[in-house]
Amino acid sequence: MAEVVLENVEKRFGDVRAVAGIDLTIRDKEFVILVGPSGCGKTTTLRMIAGLEEVSGGDIKIAGRSVTHLPPRDRDIAMVFQSYALYPHMTVAKNMSFSLRLRGMPRDQVATRVRDVAAILGLSDHLDRKPRQLSGGQRQRVAVGAALCRQAGVLLFDEPLSNLDAKLRVHMRTELKRLHQSVQSTMVYVTHDQVEAMTMGDRIVIMNAGVICQVGTPLEVYDRPVSRFVAGFIGSPPMNFFEGELVPDGSGVALALPGDLRLSLPRPELASRAGRKVSFGIRPEHISVAQSGRPLSDLAWAAVASPARVPAVIEVVEPLGHRVVVTARGEAGTFQMETEIHAGVRQGDRVDLWFDMNRAYLFDGETEATL
Amino acid sequence: MSSRGSLFWRRIRPSLLSYAGLAPFLAFALFPFYWMLITSLKADPNLYDLKRNPFWFSSVDGNTHQPYHKDIIVPASFSEGVIQWKVAQGAATTRSDSVQNPEPIAFIGAQKIESPVDGRLAAIRVPSGKIAHPNEVIGFIEVASPSLTHYRYLISTPFYRWLRVSLVTGLVVMLITLLLAVPAAYALARLDFRGNRMLGIVIFLTYLIPPTILFIPFSQFVGALKIDNTIWSLILTYPTFTVPFCTWLLMGFFRSVPKEIEERALLDGATRMQILRLVVIPVVLPGIITAAIFAFTLSFQEYVYGLTFISSTINRTLPVGITVDMVRGDVYFWGPLMAAAVLGSIPVVIVYALSLDYFISGMTTGAVK
Ligand SMILES: Nc1ncnc2c1ncn2[C@@H]1O[C@H](COP(=O)(O)OP(=O)(O)O)[C@@H](O)[C@H]1O
Ligand SMILES: [Mg+2]
């Protein structure tokens, strides 16, 4: 049992409020991702859980016990640092077993534990090497191995993959996810990379400017972002935003965008808000080159009830393999869409693009909350 | 054998060019040591022979083209008498000032004639049984160069006492320095407390006050503690410059240790002391050894305090002893001076050689990233 609970946790560095009173419950054995732009307070939050940073206010509980004023070693946590933090003078085996030896575990047990963990991480052949004799990826594994050896209730990761090259990063992502299924630890994983966040976690905690914006499963935060910030942060390429206004449209409401573009909205309940400034958001994958959705084979398109026509000029075409990212300019502004490589769009084409209004989002112009 | 040789060449060849580039600097740096060494090994007549190549030895006089020799002259204070040689022609002689009870090489009556130099009794002018007069040249000794004569002479001086005083002082000061500077530097580099930065700067400033100013108040302390003319006066005063210097030096080393590895050790369950002992000190060991060497060499070469606090010849430190006792007025005894300098630099060379392996750059390589 290693549930982690943060109650109104706050951290000030002088006048800077790095973490501005957050509440969060991380369930036992859950894999939770803290994600947000650089400087939003993720590392600070993690370090407060670890006990490396004192809280300025609030309470932290691990496994039902308040640890707010306990030193790090009494919190039953292990941490993988962004910079790996290996002991340069110790071999891989000694690095991994340091905490066990400190706690006086018998030598044969230590050896067994190290051997088992090394086998899981593919480090068995490197146990006698020093960190400087290892590649970046291997060092990263040693850092993970050292944390696993502890068999701590909570494992903390601070951007552990950010120093690896792209290929290795994808590989380690899968590996860490697999590890989580085999170890009995609660994992808290910090990253600024929304792809990592979406692919790895059971739940994602999106932070911005020291506060939590939304907590949910990857699907929840993708489908139902609570604010413009979350909507823009999750998804790649990011969601397109247009500044517009709600205008009455018969019994319902329509969206007026710059360039005299009027898109009718399938949202009659917003009629009372006519006249308000809003941000209109639509993901690149919900824009299509044809009204019917063809030649897209997306099943989702079949359910489209109200495709809205937007004339545009294709400016850039970036093939990503079987998909292409297309940058287009319309009257309302520049936006990106994603389509099949065989859709046949070329730079300079004047085309009609179709927005799937059922998958569009509206955000309040002032509060930026999702409408 | 041949495979070994080729392996050697394969190893060496890539660095050959860099060695070639370094050679002039090496020659420049080593020249003073070379000069010191050959000077210490040259017999006096060779040393002062201006007609000979000064960069190497010679056994032949540049003016006369004869082997160097030294006349054996009957002292003016002697009264004339029958000479009795104790050393056969061609036999080796030993300079009288390098042994406890020198064997005379000849007697004139009951008066002893002693050998002034190391060499070989090359010729006898006045054979045994003949009368020898004051100021008469009774024979001469051929002087070989190079020779160890200046090193032998050091035995008659308190050289080895001075060396011991310097060694003991250096080692004790080194220990005291490490005991104080390691924790001080760690605290200044790592622990967050008020006035941390200020204290670091003040410590460095104290190092900048020259000993030539400090020795005046210090001599008051030394006098008040009644430790003047003892080794304690040095052991207590040398740390005043070694500790600030080494603290400052070590602060840099401690700062270079990534904070994360200490934090990880904290999470791993180590106490502050365990972190220092098991993680930080092993990682900065090269730095600590560097500091130890500096503490040792700074004390070993110290001059002003050694000169002012120690008054008796026997308790002097090596640098003071050599310069005070081997320079009389304006006469420099270059041979013994250089011999003493050579011997005095050996401990430092040994200390450096032993620790050479630790002077490796990138001691924290692999810790982070
Ligand atoms: N030790 C510190 N002293 C002062 N400010 C800090 C310190 N650590 C972090 N901060 C500030 O707190 C904010 C959050 O930092 P951090 O938690 O490291 O962000 P993230 O990990 O999300 O990039 C930043 O504005 C940063 O400048
Ligand atoms: Mg961070």
Side-chain angles (χ1 to χ4, degrees):
Chain A
M1 262 303 286
E3 189 190 51
V4 180
V5 181
L6 308 187
E7 285 170 2
N8 197 21
V9 169
E10 185 180 344
K11 179 69 192 182
R12 284 186 301 268
F13 293 109
D15 293 337
V16 181
R17 261 180 121 198
V19 175
I22 58 173
D23 292 294
L24 178 65
T25 300
I26 300 164
R27 293 189 284 267
D28 185 34
K29 300 190 187 56
E30 196 177 19
F31 196 157
V32 162
I33 313 282
L34 295 187
V35 68
S38 199
C40 70
K42 309 177 297 283
T43 297
T44 307
T45 306
L46 204 68
R47 289 170 58 85
M48 285 192 291
I49 298 174
L52 294 173
E53 212 78 72
E54 271 183 63
V55 301
S56 309
D59 198 21
I60 299 175
K61 292 198 184 89
I62 295 177
R65 184 173 61 126
S66 172
V67 297
T68 312
H69 301 292
L70 286 184
R73 66 168 168 280
D74 296 330
R75 296 189 180 200
D76 190 29
I77 41 172
M79 180 160 166
V80 178
F81 289 81
Q82 180 171 8
S83 58
Y84 310 156
L86 301 180
Y87 306 124
H89 59 295
M90 294 185 197
T91 61
V92 168
K94 290 260 186 307
N95 255 288
M96 287 176 34
S97 61
F98 186 69
S99 59
L100 304 180
R101 286 181 286 131
L102 274 183
R103 269 178 283 155
M105 183 189 258
R107 214 181 257 192
D108 48 335
Q109 281 181 38
V110 171
T112 315
R113 178 86 62 90
V114 168
R115 222 173 25 241
D116 293 348
V117 172
I120 295 173
L121 291 168
L123 288 169
S124 302
D125 296 336
H126 308 306
L127 285 176
D128 294 326
R129 301 231 190 128
K130 294 271 179 71
R132 66 168 168 279
Q133 298 166 303
L134 300 177
S135 69
Q138 288 166 334
R139 284 179 202 167
Q140 211 278 332
R141 278 156 199 273
V142 177
V144 173
L148 287 184
C149 269
R150 292 271 307 278
Q151 298 191 345
V154 184
L155 270 178
L156 308 176
F157 296 85
D158 188 5
E159 311 216 12
L161 306 185
S162 60
N163 293 326
L164 300 182
D165 61 58
K167 205 171 157 198
L168 209 51
R169 195 152 57 216
V170 174
H171 175 71
M172 280 308 288
R173 218 153 69 192
T174 323
E175 198 133 311
L176 284 178
K177 208 171 164 179
R178 195 166 50 78
L179 262 177
H180 173 245
Q181 279 147 21
S182 61
V183 303
Q184 299 295 308
S185 298
T186 307
M187 290 194 181
V188 186
Y189 186 106
V190 161
T191 180
H192 65 266
D193 178 357
Q194 62 89 24
V195 179
E196 247 170 58
M198 289 295 278
T199 52
M200 295 178 76
D202 298 331
R203 280 197 304 158
I204 300 178
V205 177
I206 296 149
M207 292 183 69
N208 189 27
V211 296
I212 292 179
C213 303
Q214 188 170 3
V215 181
T217 64
L219 213 60
E220 277 167 13
V221 295
Y222 176 81
D223 280 341
R224 294 196 298 278
V226 297
S227 66
R228 180 180 161 157
F229 171 79
V230 174
F233 192 79
I234 297 293
S236 166
M239 185 182 281
N240 301 297
F241 293 104
F242 302 92
E243 305 312 320
E245 198 179 322
L246 291 179
V247 292
D249 178 36
S251 63
V253 70
L255 179 71
L257 291 179
D260 280 341
L261 206 59
R262 271 172 83 96
L263 308 178
S264 58
L265 294 169
R267 302 279 299 273
E269 81 278 8
L270 290 177
S272 60
R273 302 218 188 199
R276 282 198 72 109
K277 295 238 175 284
V278 291
S279 298
F280 168 73
I282 184 149
R283 295 194 185 277
E285 53 269 39
H286 300 140
I287 302 175
S288 176
V289 291
Q291 181 175 17
S292 65
R294 306 290 164 215
L296 285 180
S297 51
D298 270 356
L299 284 178
W301 198 258
V304 168
S306 53
R309 190 175 68 90
V310 180
V313 181
I314 307 294
E315 289 197 323
V316 184
V317 180
E318 296 166 272
L320 296 176
H322 74 295
R323 312 285 291 171
V324 281
V325 174
V326 175
T327 307
R329 174 183 290 283
E331 290 289 315
T334 309
F335 56 94
Q336 288 191 308
M337 63 172 291
E338 204 182 308
T339 183
E340 264 199 347
I341 191 148
H342 298 298
V345 288
R346 285 195 314 267
Q347 192 174 333
D349 283 356
R350 285 180 180 280
V351 289
D352 281 344
L353 297 177
W354 297 86
F355 287 8
D356 178 356
M357 298 305 284
N358 274 352
R359 308 292 294 268
Y361 299 89
L362 288 174
F363 307 98
D364 190 284
E366 277 162 29
T367 64
E368 303 205 332
T370 308
L371 295 176
Chain B
M1 240 8 226
S2 71
S3 73
R4 241 180 150 197
S6 68
L7 182 71
F8 174 78
W9 274 111
R10 239 180 298 147
R11 282 256 184 83
I12 290 296
R13 196 175 296 148
S15 22
L16 220 51
L17 207 68
S18 53
Y19 284 149
L22 286 174
F25 295 96
L26 190 69
F28 184 76
L30 283 183
F31 183 75
F33 295 95
Y34 168 74
W35 196 252
M36 182 168 86
L37 195 65
I38 59 163
T39 305
S40 75
L41 290 171
K42 277 181 184 172
D44 275 333
N46 182 197
L47 192 54
Y48 296 109
D49 187 345
L50 299 180
K51 286 268 169 76
R52 283 290 167 203
N53 173 10
F55 299 101
W56 198 240
F57 303 103
S58 166
S59 301
V60 178
D61 193 307
N63 284 319
T64 63
H65 301 287
Q66 300 290 312
Y68 292 119
H69 68 268
K70 173 101 183 153
D71 294 339
I72 307 170
I73 305 172
V74 179
S77 57
F78 276 28
S79 45
E80 63 177 48
V82 176
I83 191 164
Q84 195 62 47
W85 287 94
K86 287 286 159 196
V87 177
Q89 184 165 342
T93 63
T94 308
R95 62 191 292 170
S96 58
D97 52 11
S98 68
V99 280
Q100 281 301 267
N101 292 308
E103 285 288 321
I105 56 171
F107 282 96
I108 297 175
Q111 306 161 101
K112 293 179 199 166
I113 302 275
E114 288 167 352
S115 172
V117 290
D118 287 320
R120 191 174 64 86
L121 185 58
I124 291 175
R125 284 264 185 80
V126 184
S128 290
K130 292 281 165 39
I131 301 288
H133 307 279
N135 292 328
E136 186 179 3
V137 175
I138 53 174
F140 53 81
I141 295 173
E142 206 175 284
V143 180
S145 184
S147 109
L148 291 174
T149 180
H150 302 308
Y151 291 89
R152 276 196 215 107
Y153 168 74
L154 289 181
I155 294 169
S156 70
T157 68
F159 172 79
Y160 292 96
R161 275 284 310 207
W162 300 334
L163 185 61
R164 213 178 68 203
V165 170
S166 277
L167 280 177
V168 170
T169 314
L171 290 173
V172 173
V173 169
M174 181 177 98
L175 275 179
I176 293 176
T177 304
L178 288 186
L179 283 177
L180 294 175
V182 168
Y186 180 74
L188 285 171
R190 268 295 189 269
L191 305 186
D192 251 346
F193 57 90
R194 279 186 53 148
N196 175 327
R197 293 191 65 83
M198 198 58 210
L199 198 58
I201 292 167
V202 167
I203 283 177
F204 186 64
L205 287 182
T206 62
Y207 176 72
L208 295 181
I209 303 173
T212 37
I213 292 176
L214 278 179
F215 83 90
I216 300 167
F218 277 167
S219 64
Q220 296 277 312
F221 283 114
V222 165
L225 291 173
K226 298 210 178 354
I227 52 171
D228 49 325
N229 203 17
T230 70
I231 195 169
W232 293 106
S233 63
L234 306 180
I235 289 175
L236 285 186
T237 49
Y238 285 1
T240 59
F241 56 85
T242 59
V243 170
F245 181 80
C246 293
T247 303
W248 195 256
L249 186 77
L250 285 169
M251 273 165 68
F253 281 103
F254 283 125
R255 286 220 177 96
S256 75
V257 178
K259 235 179 175 146
E260 290 96 327
I261 74 169
E262 285 181 62
E263 291 179 338
R264 195 193 131 196
L266 215 54
L267 285 170
D268 276 344
T271 60
R272 266 278 167 218
M273 284 318 284
Q274 279 174 321
I275 292 175
L276 198 59
R277 194 161 53 85
L278 300 173
V279 177
V280 177
I281 288 183
V283 170
V284 298
L285 197 60
I288 291 176
I289 288 173
T290 307
I293 289 173
F294 270 110
F296 180 80
T297 45
L298 282 177
S299 341
F300 201 74
Q301 71 183 26
E302 201 285 335
Y303 195 81
V304 175
Y305 298 161
L307 181 69
T308 43
F309 301 155
I310 306 281
S311 45
S312 69
T313 300
I314 205 80
N315 286 339
R316 287 211 166 106
T317 60
L318 192 58
V320 178
I322 292 173
T323 46
V324 169
D325 277 42
M326 291 180 191
V327 181
R328 308 241 171 84
D330 59 353
V331 182
Y332 287 72
F333 292 80
W334 286 117
L337 253 175
M338 290 300 128
V342 168
L343 291 182
S345 61
I346 286 176
V348 181
V349 170
I350 291 175
V351 169
Y352 270 95
L354 285 183
S355 51
L356 208 58
D357 283 349
Y358 289 93
F359 287 118
I360 27 171
S361 59
M363 55 182 173
T364 58
T365 312
V368 294
K369 303 278 160 71

